[in-house]
Amino acid sequence: MTPRDSAGPVRSLKFVTLLVALSPDLLRWGAGLQLRDNGYEELLVALHPQVSEDPSLIPHIKEMITEASFYLFNATKRRVFFRSIKILIPATWTANNYSKVKQESYEKAQVLVTDWHAAPGDSPHTLQYRGCGKEGKYIHFTPDFLLNDALTAGYGSRGRVFVHEWAHLRWGVFDEYNREKPFYINGQNQVKVTRCSSDITGVFVCEKGPCPQENCIISKLFKEGCMFLFNSTQHATASIMFMQSLPSVVEFCNASTHNQEAPNLQNQLCSLRSAWDVIRASGDFQHSEPMKGTELPPPPTFTLLQAGDRVVCLVLDVSSRMAEADRLLRLQQAAAFYLTHMVESHTFVGIASFNGQGEIRAQLHQINSDDDRKLLVSYLPAAVSAEAEASVCSGLKKGFEVVEKLKGKAFGSVMILAASGGDQRISDCFLAALSSGSTVHTLALGSSAVDSLEELARLTGGLKFFVPDKSDSTSMIDAFSRISSGTGDVFQQHIQLESTGETVKPHHQLTNSVTVDDGVGNDTTFLVTWQTGGPPEMVLRDPNGRKYHTDDFVTSLALQTARLWIPGTAQPGLWTYTLNNSHHSPQALKVTVTSRASLPAVPPATVEAFVERDSTRFPHPMMIYAIVRRGFYPILNATVTATVEPEAADPVTLRLLDDGAGADVIKNDGIYSRYFFSFAGNGRYSLKVHVSHPASVSAATRSGPGSHAMYVPGYITNGNIQMNAPRKPVGRSEEEQKWGLSRAASGGSFSVLGVPAGPHPDMFPPCKIVDLEAVKVEEEVALSWTAPGEDFDQGQAKSYEIRISKSLQNIQDDFNSAILVNSSKLKPQQAGTKETFTFSPELFTNGPEHQADGETQRSHRIYVAIRAVDRNSLRSAVSNVAQASLSVPPNSTPVLARDDLILKGVLTAISFIGVICLTIVIIHCTLNRKKRADKRGNETKLL
């Protein structure tokens, strides 16, 4: 066991002891959203800075969440409700005696309210980036949705919509409708509308009114002018994840009401489990029993917060450890660039340092000009101390003193803490950090920094970074570049376009290019840094061919940096740079390029990189994510590469994918993901992501992001069709990107424990296949899916195991007993490749298949599942279950909804009665004619 492994439990015990001693109020400050005594506390709703000031928004938010609280309480059978809510008011709104923020910020909110160019219509949505049962990232509403009462006709009441989205966010359940597959054929060869539960009724509607389904369905789509409308009056009570707008719907689908055959994301991603089953398995429900009695919970309480002046203090380690691996020099370079270009104007900035004691180096200065920035740079520490001891708490204490001089408190301030030493007493100042109301971002420099540094960041809601001792690593500058104001206003923030480093041999060059797209270009800066010798020879060429040389850069020999600022708006296109090492020894050369938005109302493309959790233990992999988007819209077809730097090994690069397979949950949602398990050893790992997008490849998406509450186009009310207003489109048709795209972003750090020494045993199976599809083609069934890997989603599996059944329940509950399909000739391809396989179901389904109870089941469908096997016989989890119809439903006997059957029965009865009446009339007329003829005959005889 390594020293770090053995020290971990001791530190954890000390940490737990400290938490027990902390007061409940302080714990709640650090914990954020939590469930206590059946009530959710500290839920944060944040309004974007560009939302126009409208006081009526706040009452509507309160009304929505209050209604949602009671609806949620009943839907969860008296288990959970909302107790306390914080609403973050933009600093751009008029001050109105709002409370001051502490660690809260827009970027930490669970609910976002945004109304700017990139908002996808008025459709509420939840960004889900992980699998079934996992929390999402945020819920999004537009102000128009909150204020426009006309939208409730299509969505239902706002409180109901909020509960639908909350289930996405908190419990990781998915939508039970499917716009792309609005109907399916069930096991009895009947056409069914995709819904949950199946008891929800409605009718097919053509242009002229109700019509038979055979007049509406073509292949997999509705004919133009056709749709399926649900009755506004229902008896079904489920499900909230299908159609929360129906008044009768008051609960989630459970095991008895769930429709397992419906082709929706809930079935696909949750292994056919009902929404209620997934919710019941959540941590919330494992630790909360239903409330006793019949009383409703109290309504939520609301606190209105508003951020004040932006206040930042750099707290920098100057102990003798900072002399190792040029840590101080690299810290100076990154901090100077942050002060010169990254931190927003009008921010108050101070500087403190520490070794065994803390020292204030610069009191707060407000940045209003370049001279203010230069002055702050001059206060950065220029040399290390002879003292090896580093007291983080002493440095933080001085940092708090700096920020408290502005308004007496540190509420809402930010500490950027960079530390390299093995200070074992950091936990001594957890209480002070929590009570300060300040957010502490931490940079662990080198492998000797203790783990409690990250605990300090986590408790205060800060970001955490690891900077390895590698001369060509850009992790230090990347960390400072990631730390923004937290307001969510990308128009005021710098965006990192490029970040790269390389050790260049003597008289060799580092040549590369970066794309400046038309969404950025203002305040564009190229930064070049080096560690030894003098500056390299620099040549920068813009898209028009203009060259900038070494003399055009502003060079600081003390900081060993060279900067070139492009005035105005940089020319969009490809900028090429060449750095020539003209010295006789190798040089670690690094390049960073930043810019800001060029247009005031069009958000630039951004990338947000992060990992699933703070730490993992071998052999559990770490999931890496990168959200690439413009505003709220995903950017598709990008090349996204993650670079992971361990403490004492070479960096590992990994291509992230948005293909809806492996670690990626949903295809084409702009969230690029991958499993990472190439662990070099125990310790910290730093993450950075690069994004590139060629100008020739479309980045447009036609669908909005995330999981949406259903908008109902209309209802059948008392037999009449009542249509709602058409919904605003949630997608966009974007012109082809003219200039391409370049982005870079730090994803922070994570730690790994339990990695065995020496070669690792193979403990990584292929990942689960989640996108299996089956289609009947003539007399065969064609399968398609994305290939998993030898290890999760990397490499190449050895074989596939495909099984079929005529019973959905059988193949789901007992995959090993289902019929095995001969797939010996099917050789798995490289992970991420689209696989296809065709077989004849008649070879496997001629005989009856028996249920466990001995009854024979007749079915017109087969159900297929698959799993992959690697060369060490490790098997993946069983895939999602795909379905294929073995026969086409006869149009002469369509399966209609209950109202269709009633309507058809009434029409049949009327027709039957009409035929009888007509027959009676004909018979009556015939008899009358015969009587008249007989009478005339008799008269003739008499004559």
Side-chain angles (χ1 to χ4, degrees), residues 539-556:
V539 178
L540 175 66
R541 186 193 304 267
D542 74 8
N544 293 328
R546 177 183 174 181
K547 290 184 178 181
Y548 299 87
H549 297 276
T550 305
D551 293 342
D552 297 312
F553 286 72
V554 176
T555 301
S556 170

Side-chain angles (χ1 to χ4, degrees), residues 59-336:
H60 278 77
I61 293 173
K62 292 181 177 180
E63 179 183 321
M64 174 179 68
I65 299 179
T66 299
E67 179 195 0
S69 183
F70 297 123
Y71 186 56
L72 181 68
F73 184 69
N74 290 324
T76 58
K77 299 174 175 48
R78 304 182 59 84
R79 277 180 173 83
V80 293
F81 62 94
F82 297 108
R83 178 178 286 119
S84 62
I85 317 295
K86 295 179 178 179
I87 302 177
L88 182 58
I89 310 297
T92 53
W93 285 27
T94 305
N96 190 24
N97 296 322
Y98 300 122
S99 300
K100 294 302 179 184
V101 299
K102 299 182 178 69
Q103 283 102 1
E104 303 87 0
S105 70
Y106 178 89
E107 294 177 349
K108 299 175 187 176
Q110 293 85 31
V111 181
L112 306 179
V113 179
T114 303
D115 183 26
W116 48 322
H117 172 83
D122 290 315
S123 178
H125 75 268
T126 300
L127 191 65
Q128 291 181 272
Y129 63 96
R130 300 195 290 172
C132 181
K134 304 293 183 65
E135 286 189 63
K137 196 164 183 63
Y138 59 74
I139 300 172
H140 168 255
F141 296 105
T142 65
D144 193 43
F145 174 82
L146 295 170
L147 298 174
N148 186 355
D149 291 337
L151 292 174
T152 60
Y155 287 110
S157 68
R158 298 184 186 94
R160 286 170 168 256
V161 173
F162 191 92
V163 171
H164 176 99
E165 301 301 337
W166 180 258
H168 284 312
L169 178 76
R170 184 70 178 183
W171 300 314
V173 294
F174 291 86
D175 288 322
E176 293 167 341
Y177 64 91
N178 191 334
R179 294 192 187 98
E180 296 180 358
K181 296 179 180 179
F183 60 90
Y184 64 98
I185 302 171
N186 71 358
Q188 286 69 49
N189 207 33
Q190 300 169 336
V191 176
K192 293 286 187 179
V193 174
T194 302
R195 61 194 188 274
C196 192
S197 74
S198 299
D199 294 336
I200 295 180
T201 60
V203 299
F204 286 94
V205 174
C206 302
E207 292 178 345
K208 297 181 180 179
C211 59
Q213 68 179 20
E214 62 264 30
N215 293 351
C216 267
I217 296 173
I218 303 177
S219 181
K220 297 181 180 180
L221 301 172
F222 287 126
K223 287 182 182 178
E224 186 175 354
C226 280
M227 65 182 67
F228 189 87
L229 295 185
F230 294 92
N231 298 315
S232 60
T233 302
Q234 302 276 348
H235 296 290
T237 57
S239 166
I240 293 170
M241 300 316 295
F242 174 66
M243 191 181 290
Q244 73 288 331
S245 56
L246 288 173
S248 67
V249 170
V250 293
E251 60 185 22
F252 299 96
C253 262
N254 55 36
S256 62
T257 58
H258 179 59
N259 180 6
Q260 290 187 321
E261 289 190 317
N264 54 40
L265 275 180
Q266 175 64 25
N267 279 329
Q268 179 182 341
L269 298 177
C270 293
S271 301
L272 306 183
R273 287 187 297 161
S274 71
W276 183 243
D277 287 340
V278 175
I279 293 169
R280 283 288 303 272
S282 70
D284 288 353
F285 282 43
Q286 297 300 312
H287 302 98
S288 62
E289 294 295 327
M291 294 178 64
K292 297 179 181 179
T294 59
E295 294 183 358
L296 291 174
T301 60
F302 295 88
T303 304
L304 304 184
L305 308 174
Q306 188 175 39
D309 295 317
R310 166 84 167 150
V311 181
V312 177
C313 185
L314 308 186
V315 181
L316 310 177
D317 189 348
V318 293
S319 67
S320 61
R321 289 177 180 267
M322 292 295 293
E324 300 172 10
D326 287 328
R327 290 173 187 165
L328 182 63
L329 174 60
R330 291 188 292 142
L331 178 60
Q332 289 174 319
Q333 292 171 339

